[in-house]
Amino acid sequence: MSAKIRLYVEQALGQGQPVPVSRDQAHYLFGVMRLDVGAAVALFNGRDGEWLAQVTEAGKRGGTLVCETQTRPLQLPPDLWLLFAPIKKARTDFIVEKAAEMGAARIVPVQTDFTNSERIRQDRLQAHAIEAAEQCGGTFVPEVTDLQKLSRLLDHWPADRQLMFCDEAEAGSALRLTSETRGKPWAILIGPEGGFSEAERKRLHTMTEAHVVSLGPRILRADTAAVAAMTLWQQALGDWA
Amino acid sequence: MSAKIRLYVEQALGQGQPVPVSRDQAHYLFGVMRLDVGAAVALFNGRDGEWLAQVTEAGKRGGTLVCETQTRPLQLPPDLWLLFAPIKKARTDFIVEKAAEMGAARIVPVQTDFTNSERIRQDRLQAHAIEAAEQCGGTFVPEVTDLQKLSRLLDHWPADRQLMFCDEAEAGSALRLTSETRGKPWAILIGPEGGFSEAERKRLHTMTEAHVVSLGPRILRADTAAVAAMTLWQQALGDWA
């Protein structure tokens, strides 16, 4: 028995554990995907790894899955946060999806001096992160936080968390990601389309945890920069090495 | 005088060169953006660098720009092709946009054994590459070729062009991008969502020019894989180094 459908659920998973199916999930599994009793589904909840489960009840308004065997252990990503300034809806969705695929542990939308958006739909962005984890075979779902002011975040910056930021106004270098900072908690900060303000740049440059990194000679859109920066980080210090 | 609008044109650019404005461009420049005589526009054509031009005639159906000074020389990207299997429309558009931003010299949609699409809209994809170059400040526009069969492309593979490919079925390593292959022509091949067929994998693995590269422990969507692979390549062998 193998499963073609991967589903994120909130309930605990374990040998013989029954998992109730919500109305929305029932619509998807039994309506759209036409699964019936006996069919297999892969389940994960971000905590207990991936489980092969069997449909034991299938109804229009709900049903039950029962966990049979663990197919993959929980694999946590490195302790990497992605901070980014929300932009247009489609590109914001895209950044969240990519951050989940690329293995960020936490996704933090930040309001910078040049950020236009005052609000985000945290629930919608969290749903995008879940969908990305379902698609990319991950067993972990990064938390998407509410929108936070960058200045306030930097006021309370966690001790020892390194910060990689990509400053278009400065050359920077990819080589400053040295092994001294391997194994430490990290964050990547992607600026808004207009870049950082002079005050923000000054502040970031004086932080001892900050590392300016170059993303090449062409100007990248924020969503491209996010994937490129996470690639460099995963390659140098994360779980791609 | 500085220009907020960057426009790709096909005509030659040079000191004092008049550039006729097409009906579509006139609609954009004089209608949407409300430029008038005397306004500045940055022009590039992929061959002559970037020029600051001034509007000398502005009409509903056309107009004229005159080149004043070259603001940037032509900057060619490294000799890198991006080969990818077209997927859903939005993600195909996205891959083309990202390839232009990340500095691919040529974008080649390929039909693999597991590719669903039989056709692409080459003109639409080329327009996306142009728009990306306008946005990202590039002075070069990569050519988007017509859809080609991967097998036929490999039959006539150019001598000495190295091929980086990301095979989900194999571990691979990012470290095989050594300096021996620096300065050579390269191509990156991104597989379709279903991966490569057994026959394709066998063939690729026997090519002396082929380098299998790992993109980490999570499965990446094709568009994410394209940006990540180009990042690794630009960082190791391209113009980010």
Side-chain angles (χ1 to χ4, degrees), chain A residues 8-20 43-49 51 53 65-67:
Chain A
Y8 172 83
V9 295
E10 297 199 337
Q11 295 90 342
L13 302 173
Q15 186 73 48
Q17 177 79 39
V19 177
L43 300 180
F44 69 106
N45 60 6
R47 306 183 304 275
D48 300 322
W51 287 78
L65 302 168
V66 174
C67 295

Side-chain angles (χ1 to χ4, degrees), chain B residues 23-68:
Chain B
R23 197 174 177 137
D24 281 355
Q25 289 167 338
H27 173 72
Y28 172 67
L29 293 177
F30 313 134
V32 180
M33 302 305 293
R34 301 186 171 273
L35 297 192
D36 213 333
V37 169
V41 178
L43 299 179
F44 68 106
N45 61 5
R47 306 183 304 276
D48 300 322
E50 183 188 84
W51 286 78
L52 189 67
Q54 197 176 355
V55 177
T56 56
E57 281 182 282
K60 275 198 172 176
R61 297 177 188 176
T64 309
L65 302 168
V66 174
C67 294
E68 302 206 325

Side-chain angles (χ1 to χ4, degrees), chain B residues 106-125:
Chain B
R106 178 183 285 195
I107 301 169
V108 186
V110 292
Q111 207 170 356
T112 68
D113 290 347
F114 294 164
T115 306
N116 289 321
S117 43
E118 310 256 311
R119 295 193 303 175
I120 56 155
R121 282 282 307 274
Q122 188 277 335
D123 57 337
R124 211 171 44 77
L125 295 181

Side-chain angles (χ1 to χ4, degrees), chain A residues 91 94 97-98 101-103 135-136 174 215-221 223-224 227-228 231 234-235 239-240, chain B residues 91 94 97-98 101-103 135-136 174 215-221 223-224 227-228 231 234-235 239-240:
Chain A
R91 290 189 190 266
F94 185 86
E97 175 189 306
K98 291 327 177 203
E101 277 182 54
M102 293 291 300
Q135 290 269 341
C136 79
L215 298 178
R218 283 161 295 272
I219 298 166
L220 303 182
R221 280 178 162 117
D223 52 353
T224 320
V227 178
T231 301
Q234 288 287 14
Q235 173 77 359
D239 60 13
W240 291 23
Chain B
R91 288 187 193 266
F94 186 85
E97 175 189 305
K98 290 328 177 203
E101 276 183 54
M102 293 291 300
Q135 289 270 340
C136 79
L215 297 178
R218 284 159 295 270
I219 299 166
L220 303 183
R221 282 181 161 115
D223 52 353
T224 321
V227 178
T231 301
Q234 288 286 14
Q235 173 76 1
D239 61 14
W240 290 24

Side-chain angles (χ1 to χ4, degrees), chain B residues 145-227:
Chain B
T145 71
D146 259 326
L147 187 64
Q148 305 185 32
K149 280 220 155 98
L150 177 62
S151 56
R152 206 167 302 162
L153 199 62
L154 295 181
D155 287 343
H156 305 283
W157 192 249
D160 209 34
R161 183 170 292 273
Q162 306 298 301
L163 179 65
M164 165 172 165
F165 86 105
C166 312
D167 187 350
E168 283 170 10
E170 190 136 337
S173 142
L175 302 175
R176 287 170 62 186
L177 294 176
T178 58
S179 53
E180 291 156 46
T181 55
R182 187 188 296 274
K184 291 202 177 173
W186 269 86
I188 291 173
L189 170 60
I190 300 295
E193 307 266 308
F196 295 104
S197 72
E198 210 37 58
E200 285 169 340
R201 293 187 56 236
K202 257 192 194 148
R203 175 158 194 191
L204 287 165
H205 277 279
T206 56
M207 281 176 67
T208 51
E209 299 90 348
H211 305 254
V212 188
V213 167
S214 161
L215 297 178
R218 284 159 295 270
I219 299 166
L220 303 183
R221 282 181 161 115
D223 52 353
T224 321
V227 178

